[in-house]
Amino acid sequence: MSSSVPSAPPSLSPSLVEGLQSAVGEAAVITEADRLLVYESDGLTQYRVPPAAVVLPASETELREVIRILAQADHPFVMRGAGTGLSGGALAMDGGVVVGTARMGRILEVDPANRRARVEPGVVNASLTRATRVHGLIYAPDPSSQSACTLGGNVAENSGGPHCLKYGVTSRYVTGLHLVLPDGSEARLGGMGREEEGLDLVGLFVGSEGCFGAASEIEVSLVPELPGVRTLLALFESVETAGVAVTAIMARGLLPAALEIVDRETIRAVEASAFAAGYPTHVGAALVVEFDGLEEGLDEEVELAALLCREAGAEEVRMAASDEERAALWQGRKKAFGAMGRIAPDLLVQDATVPRSQLPAVLAQIAEIGTRYGLRVANVFHAGDGNLHPNLLFDRRDAEELARVEAASGEIMEACIQAGGTITGEHGVGVDKRRYMHRVYSPQVLRRMGEMKEVFDPRGRCNPGKVLPDGFGPPWGGDREGKGPGPEGGRSAESRGGASPPSSAEARLHGLVARLQEVLSPGAVAEEGPAHPVCPAGEEEIAAALRLAAEHRVPVRPVGQGLERGTEPVGVSPGTELRLGTGRLTAVLDHAPEDLQVRVSAGVSLKDLSHALASHGHWLPADPPGGGEVSMGGLVATGVSGPLAAGYGRIRDQLLGLTLVDGGGQVLSLGGRVVKNVAGFDLVRLAAGSRGALGIITSVTLRLFPLPLRERTVVWSVPDPDTLSELRDALMATGVPLAALEAAVEPRVRGIAIMARLQGSAEAVDAMTRSLEAPAGRAARVLEGEASRGWWAARSEREARGTLLLRMGVLPSEGPRHLGALLPLVGSGSVEGEGTGAGPLVPLGRPLGVSLALGLLDGRLRTLAPAKGEVEEVDMNGVPGGEVVSALQAVSPLRVVRWPRAWRQEGVLPPVPPPMGPPRARALRLQEEIMARFDPAGLLPGPWEGLP
Ligand SMILES: Cc1cc2nc3c(=O)[nH]c(=O)nc-3n(C[C@H](O)[C@H](O)[C@H](O)COP(=O)(O)OP(=O)(O)OC[C@H]3O[C@@H](n4cnc5c(N)ncnc54)[C@H](O)[C@@H]3O)c2cc1C
C-alpha cells in the first residue's frame, strides 16, 4: 500500500472531449479539476489518481458510443459504479477516462414467474430488493455497502455479504450479461434458460474487476424472502473464543444465514458513535448469528446455536424478540465501518479468507502482529465464511506509522496464506493486492489470467494496471499491436485429425500409444489397444501424455467414467484420437469436515465420495444425470446439473478450486480451498462445464453441506400442461424453499407428475408440506426419507441406461408449454404434420417410447428413451422452436428427421441451433479465442462437439 500523490489531471484532446460530449451531452462530461476530485479514489482512500475526464452515459446506446469513441482514440478507460470498492479498482490509471454508470440506474424488468430481474449496471443493490419484495422475492447478495454500491460493481467484484454464508455470492445469481467490449463491440452472454452452452463466460466475467469491458445489462435470479428470522447476539471474552463458537456451530450441521463477528476495538468505536448499539464495551467480541426459514423449526436451531455459544464460553447470549431488537443487534455490525472514522483519521480495510477452522489461530496471529507493530487493529468480519477484515487504524500524515501499517498488512496477508487462505475474499485485487498475487498463483496461472485479459482487451486499454502483477497480461502502452489468438489458434479439421488421411492419423495414434507405453507407469495403457482409454496414474503422467499427444499431433478426448450420452466425437474416426482417462485418479486427497470441504482426485465417483462424506454427516448436493457412477472430474467438466440445482445451485457453485492440465501439458492449480475467493480472474468457473475443451481436470475442491435432518418428496398428478402451469405458479407463490421441483411424464403412467423435494429439520419439512398442500388442492403421494432419496437417485441413474434424445433449456415459466409440445413424442415417437405451438395432446397410456422431465424452477427439459436404440427417429417439428431459448444439447445415435420450423427459418440449423445475432456470435468468438490459449494445437474437443 504505497499511496499515490494526486497530481493535476491529465487532459484530453479537444476533439476527444467534443466526441464524448456529442455522445452523452455536454453536462455529462466532466473535465474540471475540482469536479474530478471525487473520482480520484474509491473506498480505499490511500490511493489517489486523478482521471483525465469523467463521462456519464445514460443508456446502453450511449455507453456503447462512449466506448467506441475511446477505442477509436485508443484511450484507456475504467468503469465506475458507486466508487465504494475497497481495492482501488475504479481508479483511472495511465491518464484514463472514468466511465460512470450513475445515470444507468433503471430496473428494466422484474419477472416474478421466473424469479429473475434485468437491470442496468448503475442500479443500487438495495433498491433491487426494494423493488422485488412486493413479489415476495429478494436479491440475495447483500454487501454491507448495499445502500450505495451498484450491481455493475457487484458483478465486477463478485461481491459477497453477511447473508452469503447461506445464499452464496454474486456469481451464483448472475444468469446473463450484455457487455460492451473495450473495442466497442457487443457481446451477449448467458441468459436464463440458456445454461450449459459452451464455456461459462458469465462465470469468467463476474469478478473480472472491470478489466474485460463494461457490463451494460445484468440479468440476475431472485430468491423467495423467507418469513421467519431469528437473530442472536453472543458476547465473548475474545475474538478467538468467538471463532471457536463459529466452528462449533458449523460443525454441528447448522447453516445460519449469517455469522458475523466484531471485536472490542470495533465495539468501542460503535458505542462511542451516533450508531451506539448497546454492546458492553468490556467484552472482547460480539458474534451475530441469524437463521432464516419457515417459522417452524427456527427456534430449535437458534437455541442450539445459543447453547454452542455458551459452551464455547460466551458470557452472555441475547435473542432478539422483535424486529426493533433485531435491528439493534445488527447495528454494531452494520455501522462498524462508519463508526471507525471517529477513532482514527485513516483506516486500511484488509480482506482475506482462511479456512473457517483456522479462524482462532489466525485471529491470535493478527493480534500479535498488531501489538508488535504498535498498531490498533479492529476486526469486523464474515466469520462463517472465514472472511476476515482486519482494519488497521492510522494517520497517513505520519510517514513512519504508514510504513508500519504497510509491513503489518503484508504479514497479515502472509499469515492468512500460510493458514491455507487467500488474499481477498470479496474486495478484489485492484491496485492494492497485485503484489500478493504471486503468493497464491504460479507464474503459469498468472500468465493464463493475462491471456484471458488479452482475449477481451488485446490492447490493455480497459482498466489498466489492475489485478495482475506487471509482466502478466497486455500492458497498456506496451505492446501497441496487441495480440490475436495467433495462426495456431483455430480448431482446424486438420488439427482434430479430420482432414488427414485416416491411415496417417491412425499411424500417429499408434506411434503415440507406443510411446506412452514406455513413459507411463505399468497398467496405464490397456492391453486391448488404443480404442481403450489410456489411464495415467497421476497428474504428472497426464501432463506428460498431453505433451506427447501434442508432439504426435493426436487429438485427445478426456474420459471420466464415459457415462455422458450424446458426446460421441464428431468428424473424428474412433481410431485416430487418444482417449485419456482419469479412472486411476481415485484418492480423496483432503477432507476437512470442520471446514465442510473436500478435495478429491478426478476419478473418484460421486457414489464413493457420498459414502465417505455420509459418515461425517455431510453431502454434496449434486444429482447429475447418470447418478452416483459419474466421476467427479466428469461431473465438473460436463457441468450438467440435476434437479437439486434449483435448490442448491449448480456444481460450479460448490467448486472452490481445481487442478487442470491444459492442452500443452501445463498443470494449472486454480482457485483455492476457501469458500470466498476473488483473487484474480475466475478460471475455476471457466473450467467447470468446459467439457474437456480447456484441458483435463485432475482434482476438484468442493464445498459441502450438512446432511439434511429430514427429507420428503411430495408427488401430485395433473392431467395436462395448463394445469401443470397453474400448479407450478401456486407452489412457487408459497415461497417454500424447495430442494427441487420437477415435472415428469413417464411411459405407461397417466398424467403429468409434479414432484417437490423438501429438506430440513423435521418441523421445517412438516411446515413446508402444509404450506404446499393448501394451494395444491389435490391429493398427494408422499415419500419419506430413504424412499425419497432412493426415488430421486433411481431417476438420475435411469438417464445413464437410456438414451438422452434431447436436452434443452427453456424459460422456466414456459416449461409446461414446451413439455406439452413434446408430449406427442411420448405417445408415438414421431408426429407428422406442421407443428402448431403446443402440438396435439395424445392420450397417455399407450405403449410408449420416451419419458420427459422438466425442472420447473430452472427450465431444464429432457427427453429420454428408456434404452439405447429403442427410438431411432424423432420428428421435432412440433416443438415451438421460436420460443426455445437454449441450444439443443444432445441427440446421439438418433436420426432427427425434422427440426423445429423456427430454427429452419432463421437459417440456424445445427450445429449452432438457437437464433444468434452479432452479440452472440461475438461471445462465440471469445470462446474460441479462450480455447486457443488453453489448447494452442487445437487437440482437445470443443465444448459443443457432439451436438447435432
Ligand atoms: C462500508 C463498506 C462496506 C463494504 N462491504 C462489502 C461487503 O460486505 N461485501 C463486499 O463484497 N464488498 C463490500 N464492500 C466493497 C464494495 O462495496 C463492493 O466491492 C462493491 O461491489 C463495489 O460496487 P461499486 O458500485 O461501488 O463499484 P466501484 O467501486 O465503482 O467499482 C468497483 C469495480 O467494478 C468495476 N465496475 C463498476 N461498474 C462496472 C460495470 N458496469 N462494468 C464493468 N465493471 C464495472 C470498476 O471498474 C471497479 O473495478 C464494502 C465497501 C464499503 C465502503
Side-chain angles (χ1 to χ4, degrees), residues 79 81-86 89 121 144-145 150 153-154 156-157 159-160 209 213 215 426:
M79 294 300 298
T84 67
L86 287 168
S144 307
S145 53
T150 66
N154 295 172
E157 300 290 352
S159 298
E209 301 199 25
E426 59 181 20

Side-chain angles (χ1 to χ4, degrees), residues 34 36 69 127 152 196 211-212 259 332 435 458 487-488 502 521 600 619 703 712 772 786 797 802 804 826 843 885:
D34 56 338
L36 291 177
I69 291 169
S127 64
E196 301 164 9
C211 294
F212 289 180
L259 260 177
R435 64 205 143 126
E488 304 216 304
S521 54
V600 290
W619 74 314
R703 168 187 181 186
R712 178 178 295 161
L772 297 176
E786 202 44 58
E797 275 157 22
L804 184 62
V826 182
V885 294

Side-chain angles (χ1 to χ4, degrees), residues 745-750 823-830 842-851 864-866 870-871:
V745 183
E746 299 291 343
R748 288 172 291 283
V749 177
R750 180 164 284 278
L823 281 176
L825 298 179
V826 182
S828 65
S830 178
V842 297
L844 303 179
R846 290 210 229 139
L848 303 170
V850 300
S851 58
L864 185 78
E870 195 149 311
V871 177

Side-chain angles (χ1 to χ4, degrees), residues 534-855:
V534 168
C535 290
E539 200 163 85
E540 285 311 320
E541 287 201 357
I542 289 198
L546 281 162
R547 282 194 294 269
L548 283 170
E551 254 173 48
H552 287 74
R553 288 185 300 126
V554 171
V556 176
R557 179 153 307 268
V559 288
Q561 303 282 345
L563 289 174
E564 208 205 355
R565 292 295 174 272
T567 53
E568 299 304 326
V570 170
V572 177
S573 58
T576 61
E577 63 173 10
L578 176 70
R579 291 161 67 83
L580 199 53
T582 54
R584 289 169 78 204
L585 310 184
T586 54
V588 175
L589 301 168
D590 181 15
H591 180 199
E594 64 286 11
D595 291 321
L596 283 170
Q597 57 180 250
V598 70
R599 178 163 172 256
V600 290
S601 298
V604 171
S605 72
L606 177 59
K607 188 179 64 189
D608 289 347
L609 176 63
S610 305
H611 190 70
L613 298 178
S615 56
H616 294 274
H618 296 158
W619 74 314
L620 177 70
D623 54 352
E629 298 301 331
V630 70
S631 73
M632 294 310 297
L635 175 61
V636 171
T638 57
V640 178
S641 315
L644 282 171
Y648 288 90
R650 291 181 274 159
I651 190 70
R652 80 198 268 284
D653 300 312
Q654 324 304 354
L655 255 186
L656 308 180
L658 56 82
T659 313
L660 178 87
V661 186
D662 73 7
Q666 282 195 89
V667 178
L668 304 174
S669 186
L670 308 173
R673 62 184 191 94
V674 284
V675 285
K676 277 170 88 184
N677 186 350
V678 293
F681 306 137
D682 197 341
L683 303 187
V684 173
R685 240 151 293 286
L686 182 68
S690 61
R691 292 173 176 263
L694 307 183
I696 296 194
I697 293 170
T698 53
S699 72
V700 295
T701 306
L702 294 148
R703 168 187 181 186
L704 305 173
F705 287 75
L707 270 170
L709 299 171
R710 174 70 64 91
E711 146 119 27
R712 178 178 295 161
T713 295
V714 187
V715 188
W716 299 270
S717 177
V718 292
D720 53 54
D722 286 344
T723 320
L724 172 65
S725 187
E726 281 163 25
L727 184 51
R728 169 193 184 269
D729 293 349
L731 296 177
M732 281 177 66
T734 62
V736 165
L738 300 163
L741 185 67
E742 291 268 305
V745 183
E746 299 291 343
R748 288 172 291 283
V749 177
R750 180 164 284 278
I752 302 169
I754 173 166
M755 296 93 66
R757 189 169 185 180
L758 312 175
Q759 295 179 331
S761 67
E763 295 82 0
V765 168
D766 284 344
M768 289 186 223
T769 312
R770 281 195 300 278
S771 302
L772 297 176
E773 265 166 8
R778 62 191 71 230
R781 190 155 67 96
V782 172
L783 300 168
E784 295 285 357
E786 202 44 58
S788 164
R789 279 187 291 276
W791 191 71
W792 288 94
R795 286 188 64 77
S796 303
E797 275 157 22
R798 216 180 40 168
E799 290 202 23
R801 290 196 303 276
T803 303
L804 184 62
L805 306 182
L806 170 69
R807 175 167 71 214
M808 58 188 182
V810 298
L811 260 188
S813 60
E814 297 291 314
R817 204 160 61 76
H818 290 297
L819 185 92
L822 290 169
L823 281 176
L825 298 179
V826 182
S828 65
S830 178
V831 196
E832 291 305 324
E834 291 293 290
T836 52
L841 248 183
V842 297
L844 303 179
R846 290 210 229 139
L848 303 170
V850 300
S851 58
L852 307 174
L854 169 68

Side-chain angles (χ1 to χ4, degrees), residues 268-333:
R268 288 185 177 166
V270 172
E271 291 306 316
S273 75
F275 311 119
Y279 292 7
T281 50
H282 71 275
V283 298
L287 169 67
V288 180
V289 189
E290 186 158 286
F291 290 88
D292 67 2
L294 298 183
E295 283 293 336
E296 291 81 352
L298 274 185
D299 287 332
E300 287 76 6
E301 292 190 356
V302 81
E303 274 158 23
L304 178 55
L307 177 72
L308 294 169
C309 286
R310 286 193 195 96
E311 281 177 6
E315 66 178 59
E316 186 185 341
V317 180
R318 298 180 193 168
M319 272 209 247
S322 64
D323 285 349
E324 293 70 40
E325 278 185 41
R326 177 168 313 111
L329 295 193
W330 269 108
Q331 174 96 333
R333 167 63 184 92

Side-chain angles (χ1 to χ4, degrees), residues 42-44 63 78-91 99 101 121-123 142-146 148-162 170 205 208-216 218 333-334 337-338 349 382 387 389 425-428 430 463 466 676:
D42 63 4
L44 191 66
L63 174 64
V78 57
M79 294 300 298
R80 184 179 175 108
T84 67
L86 287 168
S87 55
L91 267 54
V99 181
T101 57
V123 166
D142 60 340
S144 307
S145 53
Q146 70 178 148
C149 66
T150 66
L151 264 292
N154 295 172
V155 166
E157 300 290 352
N158 192 11
S159 298
T170 302
F205 190 89
S208 59
E209 301 199 25
C211 294
F212 289 180
S216 53
I218 302 162
R333 167 63 184 92
K334 292 207 167 163
F337 283 109
V349 183
H382 311 302
N387 187 185
H389 293 318
E426 59 181 20
H427 294 167
N463 208 4
K466 307 289 168 63
K676 277 170 88 184

